[in-house]
Amino acid sequence: MANDKDDNRGFASMDKEKQREIASKGGKAAHEKGSAHEFDSEEASKAGKKGGQNSHRND
């Protein structure tokens, strides 16, 4: 069981806007560094189909 003092710790406990702001900074830094992955349309299509298959696996 979590202690009350731990309830406001960590990324997941932040409000969604703060999480989005921090994640955006990480993405921008990765692109500036040149280490960010950029999907082409074919690769993005394959990833989307795979995600759809996995999310409907138990239907």
Side-chain angles (χ1 to χ4, degrees):
M1 184 169 215
N3 295 332
D4 287 337
K5 68 179 183 174
D6 293 335
D7 289 346
N8 62 354
R9 295 176 56 191
F11 194 75
S13 69
M14 294 178 191
D15 66 75
K16 297 296 180 191
E17 187 57 37
K18 185 68 174 176
Q19 289 179 356
R20 197 171 292 119
E21 179 185 332
I22 293 170
S24 174
K25 289 179 182 179
K28 288 175 185 174
H31 279 279
E32 288 176 11
K33 183 180 174 187
S35 62
H37 181 76
E38 295 185 23
F39 286 95
D40 61 28
S41 60
E42 183 179 338
E43 190 177 15
S45 177
K46 286 180 183 177
K49 288 176 185 176
K50 184 177 180 180
Q53 291 169 349
N54 287 338
S55 66
H56 298 292
R57 188 172 36 191
N58 294 326
D59 285 347

